Amino acid sequence: MSHHDPDCLFCNIIAGQIPSKKVYEDEQVFAFHDINPWAPVHFLLVPKTHIASMAQVTPEQAPLLGHMLALAPRLAAEQGCNPYPEGGFRLVVNTGTEGGQEVHHLHMHVIGGPRPWKKG
Ligand code: 5GP
Ligand code: ZN
């Protein structure tokens, strides 16, 4: 089941109502470049259905999260992250205010590329 929250920034990006630079899309997920990148590669991988954060994930959503995790290395390589182990990438899921989450639609940051990075 897909759920769109009309007040959610990332739901509106997924729907194409707010422009973004798309990295990847399939039935379940959408990926787009972060507007304020920390590193040469920095994109966000999000479920198409509105889930506020990792704190709301249910056991039924485990396959969706597995799909996101399994997809991240492929997309990271396609976007220019160098191969493991010299290269690699970082996956970050900020959750809640104390976790540093600013946009309340579950998203995985995929960050990588040659250093130095602006942060991290
Ligand atoms: P959080 O802090 O919630 O983990 O990360 C939210 C991320 O969304 C930030 O890295 C921020 O740069 C990015 N972001 C915020 N607004 C927009 C936007 O309108 N477009 C894109 N592409 N990224 C955004
Ligand atoms: Zn949303």
Side-chain angles (χ1 to χ4, degrees), residues 48-114:
K48 283 190 169 174
T49 193
H50 182 85
I51 302 168
S53 84
M54 276 300 288
Q56 280 80 22
V57 165
T58 63
E60 292 71 33
Q61 289 161 335
L64 169 61
L65 293 179
H67 178 56
M68 290 170 66
L69 279 171
L71 200 52
R74 190 187 113 199
L75 299 182
E78 286 175 8
Q79 291 303 311
C81 291
N82 291 313
Y84 176 92
E86 291 81 8
F89 50 84
R90 182 179 294 177
L91 303 180
V92 175
V93 185
N94 296 325
T95 306
T97 303
E98 291 182 351
Q101 184 179 10
E102 290 181 354
V103 178
H104 290 267
H105 179 127
L106 174 63
H107 53 281
M108 186 183 290
H109 293 256
V110 184
I111 303 167

Short mmCIF file of all heavy atoms in Angstrom, two decimals, residues 48-114:
data_model
loop_
_atom_site.label_atom_id
_atom_site.label_comp_id
_atom_site.label_asym_id
_atom_site.label_seq_id
_atom_site.Cartn_x
_atom_site.Cartn_y
_atom_site.Cartn_z
N LYS A 48 8.68 4.93 -1.45
CA LYS A 48 7.64 5.78 -2.06
C LYS A 48 6.48 6.00 -1.11
O LYS A 48 5.83 7.04 -1.15
CB LYS A 48 7.16 5.16 -3.37
CG LYS A 48 8.14 5.38 -4.50
CD LYS A 48 7.54 4.97 -5.83
CE LYS A 48 8.43 5.45 -6.97
NZ LYS A 48 7.95 4.94 -8.27
N THR A 49 6.22 5.01 -0.28
CA THR A 49 5.14 5.18 0.69
C THR A 49 5.64 6.01 1.87
O THR A 49 6.81 5.93 2.24
CB THR A 49 4.62 3.80 1.16
OG1 THR A 49 3.39 3.98 1.85
CG2 THR A 49 5.60 3.07 2.04
N HIS A 50 4.78 6.85 2.41
CA HIS A 50 5.18 7.73 3.51
C HIS A 50 5.33 6.94 4.80
O HIS A 50 4.34 6.48 5.37
CB HIS A 50 4.18 8.87 3.70
CG HIS A 50 4.60 9.81 4.80
ND1 HIS A 50 5.47 10.85 4.59
CD2 HIS A 50 4.31 9.82 6.12
CE1 HIS A 50 5.69 11.47 5.74
NE2 HIS A 50 4.99 10.85 6.68
N ILE A 51 6.57 6.83 5.26
CA ILE A 51 6.90 6.30 6.60
C ILE A 51 7.66 7.43 7.26
O ILE A 51 8.64 7.93 6.68
CB ILE A 51 7.78 5.04 6.51
CG1 ILE A 51 7.12 3.93 5.69
CG2 ILE A 51 8.15 4.54 7.92
CD1 ILE A 51 8.06 2.76 5.34
N ALA A 52 7.24 7.88 8.44
CA ALA A 52 7.83 9.09 9.02
C ALA A 52 9.31 8.91 9.35
O ALA A 52 10.12 9.81 9.13
CB ALA A 52 7.04 9.52 10.25
N SER A 53 9.67 7.75 9.90
CA SER A 53 11.08 7.53 10.28
C SER A 53 11.30 6.05 10.55
O SER A 53 10.36 5.25 10.54
CB SER A 53 11.44 8.34 11.53
OG SER A 53 11.06 7.64 12.70
N MET A 54 12.54 5.70 10.87
CA MET A 54 12.85 4.32 11.27
C MET A 54 12.08 3.93 12.53
O MET A 54 11.86 2.74 12.75
CB MET A 54 14.35 4.18 11.56
CG MET A 54 15.21 3.93 10.35
SD MET A 54 14.81 2.43 9.43
CE MET A 54 15.42 1.19 10.54
N ALA A 55 11.70 4.92 13.34
CA ALA A 55 10.98 4.62 14.58
C ALA A 55 9.58 4.07 14.31
O ALA A 55 8.98 3.45 15.19
CB ALA A 55 10.90 5.86 15.46
N GLN A 56 9.05 4.29 13.11
CA GLN A 56 7.69 3.82 12.78
C GLN A 56 7.69 2.53 11.96
O GLN A 56 6.62 2.06 11.57
CB GLN A 56 6.94 4.89 11.97
CG GLN A 56 6.35 6.01 12.79
CD GLN A 56 7.38 7.04 13.18
OE1 GLN A 56 8.41 7.16 12.54
NE2 GLN A 56 7.14 7.77 14.24
N VAL A 57 8.86 2.01 11.64
CA VAL A 57 8.92 0.83 10.76
C VAL A 57 8.27 -0.38 11.45
O VAL A 57 8.45 -0.60 12.64
CB VAL A 57 10.38 0.54 10.37
CG1 VAL A 57 10.54 -0.85 9.80
CG2 VAL A 57 10.86 1.59 9.38
N THR A 58 7.50 -1.13 10.66
CA THR A 58 6.83 -2.33 11.18
C THR A 58 7.49 -3.57 10.55
O THR A 58 8.15 -3.47 9.52
CB THR A 58 5.34 -2.33 10.79
OG1 THR A 58 5.25 -2.38 9.35
CG2 THR A 58 4.62 -1.08 11.29
N PRO A 59 7.28 -4.75 11.18
CA PRO A 59 7.87 -5.98 10.62
C PRO A 59 7.45 -6.22 9.16
O PRO A 59 8.23 -6.76 8.37
CB PRO A 59 7.33 -7.08 11.54
CG PRO A 59 7.06 -6.38 12.84
CD PRO A 59 6.61 -4.99 12.47
N GLU A 60 6.24 -5.80 8.80
CA GLU A 60 5.76 -5.99 7.42
C GLU A 60 6.61 -5.20 6.42
O GLU A 60 6.61 -5.49 5.23
CB GLU A 60 4.29 -5.55 7.29
CG GLU A 60 3.29 -6.42 8.02
CD GLU A 60 3.36 -6.28 9.54
OE1 GLU A 60 3.67 -5.17 10.04
OE2 GLU A 60 3.14 -7.29 10.24
N GLN A 61 7.28 -4.17 6.91
CA GLN A 61 8.08 -3.32 6.01
C GLN A 61 9.53 -3.80 5.89
O GLN A 61 10.33 -3.19 5.18
CB GLN A 61 8.03 -1.87 6.49
CG GLN A 61 6.64 -1.28 6.23
CD GLN A 61 6.37 -0.05 7.05
OE1 GLN A 61 6.95 0.17 8.11
NE2 GLN A 61 5.47 0.79 6.55
N ALA A 62 9.85 -4.92 6.55
CA ALA A 62 11.23 -5.44 6.48
C ALA A 62 11.69 -5.72 5.03
O ALA A 62 12.82 -5.38 4.68
CB ALA A 62 11.39 -6.67 7.36
N PRO A 63 10.84 -6.29 4.17
CA PRO A 63 11.29 -6.50 2.79
C PRO A 63 11.61 -5.19 2.06
O PRO A 63 12.57 -5.12 1.28
CB PRO A 63 10.11 -7.23 2.12
CG PRO A 63 9.40 -7.90 3.26
CD PRO A 63 9.53 -6.95 4.42
N LEU A 64 10.83 -4.16 2.31
CA LEU A 64 11.08 -2.85 1.70
C LEU A 64 12.43 -2.30 2.17
O LEU A 64 13.24 -1.82 1.37
CB LEU A 64 9.93 -1.90 2.08
CG LEU A 64 10.10 -0.42 1.77
CD1 LEU A 64 10.26 -0.21 0.26
CD2 LEU A 64 8.89 0.37 2.28
N LEU A 65 12.71 -2.41 3.46
CA LEU A 65 14.00 -1.94 3.99
C LEU A 65 15.14 -2.78 3.45
O LEU A 65 16.22 -2.25 3.14
CB LEU A 65 13.99 -1.97 5.51
CG LEU A 65 13.03 -0.99 6.16
CD1 LEU A 65 13.09 -1.12 7.67
CD2 LEU A 65 13.36 0.43 5.77
N GLY A 66 14.90 -4.08 3.32
CA GLY A 66 15.92 -4.96 2.74
C GLY A 66 16.21 -4.57 1.30
O GLY A 66 17.38 -4.55 0.88
N HIS A 67 15.17 -4.24 0.57
CA HIS A 67 15.33 -3.80 -0.82
C HIS A 67 16.20 -2.53 -0.86
O HIS A 67 17.12 -2.42 -1.68
CB HIS A 67 13.95 -3.54 -1.41
CG HIS A 67 13.95 -3.03 -2.81
ND1 HIS A 67 14.56 -3.70 -3.85
CD2 HIS A 67 13.42 -1.90 -3.35
CE1 HIS A 67 14.41 -2.99 -4.97
NE2 HIS A 67 13.72 -1.90 -4.69
N MET A 68 15.93 -1.60 0.03
CA MET A 68 16.72 -0.35 0.06
C MET A 68 18.19 -0.64 0.38
O MET A 68 19.10 -0.11 -0.28
CB MET A 68 16.14 0.61 1.10
CG MET A 68 14.79 1.17 0.68
SD MET A 68 13.96 2.09 2.00
CE MET A 68 15.05 3.48 2.18
N LEU A 69 18.43 -1.48 1.37
CA LEU A 69 19.82 -1.79 1.76
C LEU A 69 20.56 -2.51 0.64
O LEU A 69 21.74 -2.24 0.40
CB LEU A 69 19.82 -2.67 3.02
CG LEU A 69 19.65 -1.94 4.34
CD1 LEU A 69 19.46 -2.95 5.48
CD2 LEU A 69 20.86 -1.05 4.63
N ALA A 70 19.86 -3.41 -0.03
CA ALA A 70 20.51 -4.18 -1.10
C ALA A 70 20.77 -3.32 -2.33
O ALA A 70 21.70 -3.58 -3.10
CB ALA A 70 19.65 -5.39 -1.46
N LEU A 71 19.95 -2.31 -2.52
CA LEU A 71 20.08 -1.42 -3.68
C LEU A 71 21.21 -0.41 -3.50
O LEU A 71 21.86 0.01 -4.47
CB LEU A 71 18.75 -0.68 -3.82
CG LEU A 71 18.33 -0.03 -5.11
CD1 LEU A 71 18.42 -1.00 -6.28
CD2 LEU A 71 16.89 0.49 -4.94
N ALA A 72 21.45 0.00 -2.25
CA ALA A 72 22.38 1.10 -1.98
C ALA A 72 23.77 0.88 -2.59
O ALA A 72 24.30 1.81 -3.22
CB ALA A 72 22.46 1.36 -0.47
N PRO A 73 24.40 -0.29 -2.44
CA PRO A 73 25.74 -0.46 -3.01
C PRO A 73 25.77 -0.31 -4.53
O PRO A 73 26.70 0.28 -5.09
CB PRO A 73 26.12 -1.89 -2.61
CG PRO A 73 25.24 -2.23 -1.47
CD PRO A 73 23.97 -1.46 -1.68
N ARG A 74 24.74 -0.81 -5.19
CA ARG A 74 24.68 -0.71 -6.66
C ARG A 74 24.55 0.75 -7.09
O ARG A 74 25.27 1.23 -7.96
CB ARG A 74 23.48 -1.51 -7.16
CG ARG A 74 23.46 -1.66 -8.66
CD ARG A 74 22.17 -2.33 -9.13
NE ARG A 74 21.36 -1.39 -9.88
CZ ARG A 74 20.07 -1.53 -10.10
NH1 ARG A 74 19.42 -2.57 -9.62
NH2 ARG A 74 19.42 -0.64 -10.80
N LEU A 75 23.64 1.48 -6.45
CA LEU A 75 23.45 2.89 -6.81
C LEU A 75 24.68 3.71 -6.45
O LEU A 75 25.08 4.61 -7.19
CB LEU A 75 22.20 3.46 -6.12
CG LEU A 75 20.87 2.79 -6.47
CD1 LEU A 75 19.72 3.50 -5.75
CD2 LEU A 75 20.62 2.77 -7.97
N ALA A 76 25.31 3.38 -5.30
CA ALA A 76 26.53 4.10 -4.89
C ALA A 76 27.59 3.95 -5.97
O ALA A 76 28.23 4.94 -6.37
CB ALA A 76 27.03 3.56 -3.55
N ALA A 77 27.79 2.75 -6.46
CA ALA A 77 28.80 2.52 -7.51
C ALA A 77 28.42 3.26 -8.79
O ALA A 77 29.27 3.91 -9.42
CB ALA A 77 28.93 1.02 -7.78
N GLU A 78 27.14 3.20 -9.14
CA GLU A 78 26.70 3.90 -10.37
C GLU A 78 26.90 5.42 -10.26
O GLU A 78 27.14 6.08 -11.26
CB GLU A 78 25.21 3.61 -10.63
CG GLU A 78 24.95 2.21 -11.15
CD GLU A 78 23.47 1.88 -11.28
OE1 GLU A 78 22.62 2.80 -11.11
OE2 GLU A 78 23.16 0.72 -11.53
N GLN A 79 26.81 5.94 -9.03
CA GLN A 79 26.94 7.39 -8.84
C GLN A 79 28.39 7.84 -8.67
O GLN A 79 28.66 9.03 -8.51
CB GLN A 79 26.10 7.84 -7.63
CG GLN A 79 24.61 7.74 -7.88
CD GLN A 79 24.15 8.54 -9.09
OE1 GLN A 79 24.51 9.71 -9.23
NE2 GLN A 79 23.40 7.91 -9.97
N GLY A 80 29.33 6.89 -8.64
CA GLY A 80 30.74 7.27 -8.62
C GLY A 80 31.50 6.93 -7.35
O GLY A 80 32.67 7.33 -7.22
N CYS A 81 30.90 6.20 -6.43
CA CYS A 81 31.67 5.73 -5.28
C CYS A 81 32.67 4.69 -5.77
O CYS A 81 32.34 3.82 -6.58
CB CYS A 81 30.75 5.09 -4.24
SG CYS A 81 29.68 6.29 -3.43
N ASN A 82 33.90 4.78 -5.27
CA ASN A 82 34.95 3.85 -5.67
C ASN A 82 34.73 2.50 -5.00
O ASN A 82 34.07 2.40 -3.97
CB ASN A 82 36.32 4.43 -5.30
CG ASN A 82 36.64 5.63 -6.18
OD1 ASN A 82 36.49 5.58 -7.40
ND2 ASN A 82 37.05 6.72 -5.56
N PRO A 83 35.32 1.43 -5.60
CA PRO A 83 35.08 0.08 -5.07
C PRO A 83 35.66 -0.12 -3.67
O PRO A 83 36.67 0.46 -3.31
CB PRO A 83 35.81 -0.84 -6.07
CG PRO A 83 36.02 -0.02 -7.30
CD PRO A 83 36.10 1.41 -6.85
N TYR A 84 34.99 -0.97 -2.91
CA TYR A 84 35.45 -1.46 -1.62
C TYR A 84 36.71 -2.29 -1.84
O TYR A 84 36.77 -3.01 -2.83
CB TYR A 84 34.33 -2.32 -1.02
CG TYR A 84 34.65 -2.98 0.29
CD1 TYR A 84 34.37 -2.37 1.49
CD2 TYR A 84 35.25 -4.25 0.30
CE1 TYR A 84 34.66 -2.98 2.70
CE2 TYR A 84 35.55 -4.86 1.50
CZ TYR A 84 35.26 -4.23 2.69
OH TYR A 84 35.55 -4.83 3.87
N PRO A 85 37.72 -2.23 -0.95
CA PRO A 85 37.73 -1.55 0.34
C PRO A 85 38.34 -0.15 0.31
O PRO A 85 38.15 0.60 1.26
CB PRO A 85 38.59 -2.48 1.21
CG PRO A 85 39.58 -3.04 0.25
CD PRO A 85 38.85 -3.19 -1.07
N GLU A 86 39.05 0.22 -0.76
CA GLU A 86 39.68 1.55 -0.74
C GLU A 86 38.64 2.65 -0.85
O GLU A 86 38.80 3.73 -0.31
CB GLU A 86 40.70 1.68 -1.89
CG GLU A 86 41.93 0.80 -1.73
CD GLU A 86 41.72 -0.64 -2.15
OE1 GLU A 86 40.63 -0.97 -2.71
OE2 GLU A 86 42.62 -1.47 -1.89
N GLY A 87 37.60 2.37 -1.62
CA GLY A 87 36.50 3.33 -1.76
C GLY A 87 35.47 3.07 -0.68
O GLY A 87 35.78 3.10 0.50
N GLY A 88 34.25 2.79 -1.11
CA GLY A 88 33.18 2.52 -0.15
C GLY A 88 32.18 3.67 -0.11
O GLY A 88 32.15 4.52 -1.00
N PHE A 89 31.39 3.67 0.94
CA PHE A 89 30.34 4.69 1.09
C PHE A 89 29.83 4.62 2.51
O PHE A 89 30.17 3.68 3.26
CB PHE A 89 29.19 4.44 0.09
CG PHE A 89 28.68 3.04 0.10
CD1 PHE A 89 27.74 2.64 1.04
CD2 PHE A 89 29.16 2.09 -0.80
CE1 PHE A 89 27.28 1.33 1.07
CE2 PHE A 89 28.71 0.78 -0.77
CZ PHE A 89 27.77 0.40 0.16
N ARG A 90 29.02 5.59 2.89
CA ARG A 90 28.41 5.61 4.22
C ARG A 90 26.90 5.65 4.07
O ARG A 90 26.39 6.45 3.27
CB ARG A 90 28.89 6.85 4.98
CG ARG A 90 28.35 6.93 6.39
CD ARG A 90 28.86 8.15 7.11
NE ARG A 90 30.29 8.07 7.32
CZ ARG A 90 31.02 9.03 7.88
NH1 ARG A 90 30.45 10.15 8.27
NH2 ARG A 90 32.32 8.88 8.04
N LEU A 91 26.21 4.82 4.83
CA LEU A 91 24.74 4.83 4.88
C LEU A 91 24.32 5.42 6.21
O LEU A 91 24.79 4.96 7.25
CB LEU A 91 24.17 3.41 4.75
CG LEU A 91 24.58 2.61 3.51
CD1 LEU A 91 23.93 1.23 3.55
CD2 LEU A 91 24.18 3.34 2.25
N VAL A 92 23.46 6.42 6.18
CA VAL A 92 23.02 7.10 7.41
C VAL A 92 21.50 7.23 7.39
O VAL A 92 20.93 7.68 6.38
CB VAL A 92 23.66 8.51 7.50
CG1 VAL A 92 23.12 9.26 8.72
CG2 VAL A 92 25.18 8.43 7.57
N VAL A 93 20.88 6.85 8.50
CA VAL A 93 19.43 7.04 8.65
C VAL A 93 19.19 7.82 9.94
O VAL A 93 19.09 7.23 11.03
CB VAL A 93 18.66 5.70 8.66
CG1 VAL A 93 17.15 5.96 8.71
CG2 VAL A 93 19.00 4.84 7.45
N ASN A 94 19.16 9.13 9.85
CA ASN A 94 18.89 9.97 11.02
C ASN A 94 17.44 9.74 11.45
O ASN A 94 16.54 9.72 10.61
CB ASN A 94 19.11 11.44 10.68
CG ASN A 94 20.56 11.73 10.35
OD1 ASN A 94 21.47 11.14 10.92
ND2 ASN A 94 20.79 12.63 9.41
N THR A 95 17.22 9.58 12.75
CA THR A 95 15.89 9.22 13.25
C THR A 95 15.54 10.08 14.47
O THR A 95 16.21 10.01 15.50
CB THR A 95 15.85 7.72 13.62
OG1 THR A 95 16.26 6.96 12.47
CG2 THR A 95 14.45 7.29 14.03
N GLY A 96 14.52 10.91 14.30
CA GLY A 96 14.05 11.76 15.39
C GLY A 96 14.95 12.97 15.60
O GLY A 96 16.04 13.07 15.02
N THR A 97 14.48 13.87 16.42
CA THR A 97 15.19 15.14 16.64
C THR A 97 16.58 14.90 17.20
O THR A 97 17.57 15.45 16.69
CB THR A 97 14.36 16.04 17.58
OG1 THR A 97 13.08 16.23 16.98
CG2 THR A 97 15.02 17.39 17.78
N GLU A 98 16.68 14.06 18.22
CA GLU A 98 18.01 13.80 18.80
C GLU A 98 18.89 13.00 17.85
O GLU A 98 20.11 13.04 17.95
CB GLU A 98 17.87 13.11 20.17
CG GLU A 98 17.29 14.06 21.21
CD GLU A 98 17.16 13.49 22.61
OE1 GLU A 98 17.35 12.27 22.81
OE2 GLU A 98 16.84 14.28 23.51
N GLY A 99 18.27 12.29 16.92
CA GLY A 99 19.01 11.57 15.89
C GLY A 99 19.40 12.44 14.71
O GLY A 99 20.03 11.96 13.77
N GLY A 100 18.99 13.72 14.73
CA GLY A 100 19.39 14.65 13.67
C GLY A 100 18.48 14.64 12.45
O GLY A 100 18.83 15.15 11.39
N GLN A 101 17.27 14.08 12.59
CA GLN A 101 16.35 14.01 11.45
C GLN A 101 15.63 15.33 11.26
O GLN A 101 15.01 15.84 12.19
CB GLN A 101 15.32 12.89 11.68
CG GLN A 101 14.38 12.69 10.49
CD GLN A 101 13.38 11.56 10.71
OE1 GLN A 101 13.25 11.03 11.81
NE2 GLN A 101 12.67 11.22 9.65
N GLU A 102 15.71 15.88 10.05
CA GLU A 102 15.03 17.14 9.75
C GLU A 102 13.81 16.94 8.87
O GLU A 102 12.84 17.69 8.98
CB GLU A 102 16.02 18.11 9.08
CG GLU A 102 17.06 18.57 10.10
CD GLU A 102 18.07 19.56 9.55
OE1 GLU A 102 18.06 19.82 8.33
OE2 GLU A 102 18.89 20.03 10.37
N VAL A 103 13.85 15.97 7.98
CA VAL A 103 12.70 15.70 7.11
C VAL A 103 12.07 14.39 7.57
O VAL A 103 12.74 13.34 7.62
CB VAL A 103 13.13 15.61 5.63
CG1 VAL A 103 11.93 15.29 4.75
CG2 VAL A 103 13.80 16.91 5.17
N HIS A 104 10.78 14.46 7.89
CA HIS A 104 10.12 13.31 8.53
C HIS A 104 9.43 12.42 7.51
O HIS A 104 8.22 12.19 7.55
CB HIS A 104 9.22 13.79 9.67
CG HIS A 104 10.06 14.30 10.81
ND1 HIS A 104 10.45 13.52 11.87
CD2 HIS A 104 10.70 15.49 10.97
CE1 HIS A 104 11.25 14.23 12.67
NE2 HIS A 104 11.41 15.43 12.13
N HIS A 105 10.24 11.94 6.55
CA HIS A 105 9.91 10.84 5.64
C HIS A 105 11.18 10.00 5.60
O HIS A 105 12.25 10.52 5.22
CB HIS A 105 9.54 11.41 4.25
CG HIS A 105 9.20 10.38 3.21
ND1 HIS A 105 8.02 10.42 2.49
CD2 HIS A 105 9.88 9.31 2.76
CE1 HIS A 105 7.99 9.41 1.64
NE2 HIS A 105 9.13 8.71 1.78
N LEU A 106 11.08 8.76 6.02
CA LEU A 106 12.25 7.88 6.13
C LEU A 106 13.16 8.01 4.91
O LEU A 106 12.68 7.93 3.77
CB LEU A 106 11.76 6.43 6.26
CG LEU A 106 12.81 5.32 6.24
CD1 LEU A 106 13.76 5.42 7.41
CD2 LEU A 106 12.13 3.97 6.24
N HIS A 107 14.45 8.25 5.16
CA HIS A 107 15.41 8.35 4.06
C HIS A 107 16.76 7.84 4.49
O HIS A 107 17.18 8.03 5.62
CB HIS A 107 15.52 9.79 3.54
CG HIS A 107 15.80 10.81 4.60
ND1 HIS A 107 14.82 11.30 5.44
CD2 HIS A 107 16.96 11.42 4.98
CE1 HIS A 107 15.35 12.17 6.27
NE2 HIS A 107 16.66 12.26 6.03
N MET A 108 17.43 7.19 3.55
CA MET A 108 18.78 6.69 3.76
C MET A 108 19.72 7.61 2.99
O MET A 108 19.58 7.75 1.77
CB MET A 108 18.83 5.26 3.23
CG MET A 108 20.12 4.53 3.49
SD MET A 108 20.03 2.88 2.72
CE MET A 108 18.84 2.09 3.78
N HIS A 109 20.65 8.26 3.72
CA HIS A 109 21.69 9.03 3.03
C HIS A 109 22.72 8.04 2.49
O HIS A 109 23.18 7.16 3.24
CB HIS A 109 22.43 9.95 4.00
CG HIS A 109 21.62 11.06 4.56
ND1 HIS A 109 21.73 12.37 4.14
CD2 HIS A 109 20.69 11.08 5.55
CE1 HIS A 109 20.91 13.13 4.85
NE2 HIS A 109 20.26 12.38 5.70
N VAL A 110 23.10 8.17 1.24
CA VAL A 110 24.21 7.38 0.67
C VAL A 110 25.29 8.40 0.29
O VAL A 110 25.06 9.27 -0.56
CB VAL A 110 23.76 6.56 -0.55
CG1 VAL A 110 24.92 5.69 -1.04
CG2 VAL A 110 22.53 5.70 -0.22
N ILE A 111 26.42 8.31 1.01
CA ILE A 111 27.45 9.35 0.94
C ILE A 111 28.78 8.68 0.60
O ILE A 111 29.14 7.67 1.21
CB ILE A 111 27.55 10.06 2.32
CG1 ILE A 111 26.19 10.64 2.72
CG2 ILE A 111 28.61 11.14 2.30
CD1 ILE A 111 26.11 11.06 4.18
N GLY A 112 29.49 9.26 -0.35
CA GLY A 112 30.78 8.66 -0.70
C GLY A 112 31.54 9.48 -1.70
O GLY A 112 31.25 10.65 -1.93
N GLY A 113 32.55 8.85 -2.29
CA GLY A 113 33.43 9.51 -3.25
C GLY A 113 34.72 9.94 -2.57
O GLY A 113 34.86 9.87 -1.34
N PRO A 114 35.67 10.40 -3.39
CA PRO A 114 36.99 10.74 -2.87
C PRO A 114 36.92 11.82 -1.80
O PRO A 114 36.14 12.76 -1.90
CB PRO A 114 37.73 11.27 -4.11
CG PRO A 114 37.01 10.71 -5.28
CD PRO A 114 35.58 10.56 -4.86
#
